[in-house]
Amino acid sequence: MLGDWLERRVAVSLYWRIFLLNAGVLALAVALLLGPVTVSTPVLFGEALVLLGGLAAMLIINAVLLKVGLAPLARLNRAMATADLLKPGTRPTVTGGGEIAALTRTFNAMLDRLEAERATSSGRVLTALEGERKRIAQELHDEIGQTLTAVLLQVKHAADRAPEPIRTDLHQAQETTRASLDEIRRIARRLRPGVLEELGLHSALRSLAAEFTTPRLGVTAHITPGLPHLDPATELVLYRVAQEGLTNAARHSDATRVEVHLRPLPRGGTGLLVRDNGHGLGDAPEGAGIRGMRERALLIGAELLVGASPHGGTQVRLEIHDTTGATA
């Protein structure tokens, strides 16, 4: 393009580039005045047309040259406006030399530093979050869970000795207490995936699919054999992304079927796919759940793609090309 060629050929500052462009236009005007063009007094109609045509031509040439000269700055401005630290890797191309090229290189270096700092800070936050999840899950299990178990036994003991009218009410209280205890256990399992630590990712994903399965929502897990070895931090990211994808499908998509696929990638690595048959994302902006998945993906150098499924609904695709993972 003419703008790239001009920037490569004229490696001068933006100030001098604009000055030379305007000087060229003015030199052309002076050359026309010193040429065979004459102006009568009063100005004839034909001469006025020639002057107006020359002025219009100079303005057009000046506008085109300025647009060409400022094109690299406009490209850099668009890159700055669309930069997203949760979608790394996109960088404006550095062409030629001069101030704009130096500014582009500085902007790219700044993005590299910001992405590295964002990944480091997100790693600390998520590590602290996982520790807090474990603590809360342990307290739910040890404190509230045991307390409700004791209450359940006391209510059962009282119901066995109570007269019939009161026994019915106590049985209802007993069932309510048992349902609350089951709900607390379910919350504790979601906060701290013990099955992931004890039995591994494959069993954890199958357990997660069974947990989200209801009469209105069918969830199936498909684990392809031959997966590469994954470190604990990578397995935790895969589990949390699958959990968030299933949570979004169950709460927001009105889906009746969700599929969870864990399989090796054709060129090496591991891929996770969570796909539902709901109404899709539409024009809704990304919420905290998707942003959290992107932050987790950054920790292990993975690529997260969230969009429409080919057969309708929404799909969440996490691709880990470097299976060494990262420590959170």
Side-chain angles (χ1 to χ4, degrees):
M1 293 186 54
L2 181 58
D4 297 333
W5 178 87
L6 180 63
E7 190 176 4
R8 288 193 299 268
R9 295 296 181 182
V10 188
V12 294
S13 68
L14 183 61
Y15 168 79
W16 285 108
R17 189 175 303 144
I18 296 176
F19 175 79
L20 292 175
L21 291 176
N22 285 280
V25 174
L26 292 176
L28 177 61
V30 173
L32 292 176
L33 291 176
L34 297 178
V37 179
T38 59
V39 180
S40 303
T41 304
V43 180
L44 300 178
F45 179 74
E47 294 173 344
L49 290 180
V50 172
L51 291 174
L52 292 176
L55 176 61
M58 286 189 295
L59 291 176
I60 292 174
I61 293 173
N62 188 46
V64 171
L65 291 177
L66 283 176
K67 185 176 181 61
V68 170
L70 297 176
L73 192 59
R75 290 197 300 270
L76 179 59
N77 181 57
R78 288 193 298 269
M80 290 180 175
T82 57
D84 189 352
L85 296 180
L86 293 180
K87 299 177 182 179
T90 303
R91 298 288 185 273
T93 304
V94 180
T95 57
E99 292 176 343
I100 297 180
L103 181 61
T104 304
R105 284 191 291 269
T106 303
F107 175 68
N108 290 342
M110 181 189 69
L111 283 183
D112 292 337
R113 291 195 302 271
L114 288 176
E115 288 178 0
E117 292 173 2
R118 176 65 179 267
T120 302
S121 61
S122 296
R124 295 194 187 101
V125 171
L126 292 176
T127 299
L129 179 61
E130 288 297 332
E132 190 67 12
R133 284 172 180 263
K134 288 184 179 181
R135 185 187 67 80
I136 295 175
Q138 194 70 29
E139 290 185 359
L140 286 175
H141 182 272
D142 294 343
E143 301 291 338
I144 301 179
Q146 292 182 6
T147 301
L148 285 179
T149 301
V151 171
L152 187 62
L153 294 176
Q154 291 175 357
V155 171
K156 182 179 182 303
H157 181 72
D160 292 339
R161 297 186 174 186
E164 185 59 33
I166 301 178
R167 184 181 305 172
T168 302
D169 294 337
L170 289 175
H171 280 313
Q172 292 179 352
Q174 183 180 357
E175 292 303 319
T176 302
T177 305
R178 181 179 288 109
S180 299
L181 182 60
D182 292 339
E183 180 67 14
I184 287 176
R185 288 172 177 170
R186 183 184 64 82
I187 294 174
R189 286 196 303 270
R190 288 193 178 184
L191 288 173
R192 181 177 180 267
V195 65
L196 177 64
E197 300 175 356
E198 298 168 3
L199 301 178
L201 181 61
H202 300 181
S203 299
L205 289 180
R206 292 190 178 98
S207 175
L208 194 63
E211 182 180 344
F212 277 89
T213 299
T214 63
R216 300 180 58 182
L217 179 65
V219 183
T220 56
H222 306 274
I223 312 296
T224 303
L227 290 168
H229 173 72
L230 301 172
D231 60 69
T234 303
E235 288 189 345
L236 181 59
V237 170
L238 286 165
Y239 180 85
R240 290 302 187 193
V241 170
Q243 186 181 46
E244 184 63 34
L246 288 173
T247 301
N248 290 339
R251 291 180 179 178
H252 308 300
S253 69
D254 294 330
T256 59
R257 186 179 69 257
V258 185
E259 298 176 0
V260 180
H261 296 266
L262 185 67
R263 53 198 176 191
L265 297 175
R267 297 184 180 180
T270 305
L272 173 72
L273 175 66
V274 181
R275 179 170 56 199
D276 65 60
N277 64 343
H279 53 63
L281 293 173
D283 298 329
E286 292 188 356
I290 296 180
R291 289 196 298 271
M293 288 191 287
R294 294 195 185 280
E295 290 181 349
R296 291 183 182 275
L298 288 178
L299 295 180
I300 58 173
E303 182 181 5
L304 181 74
L305 303 173
V306 181
S309 173
H311 306 290
T314 305
Q315 66 177 13
V316 177
R317 187 186 301 273
L318 181 69
E319 296 183 351
I320 306 171
H321 300 283
D322 180 11
T323 58
T324 58
T327 58

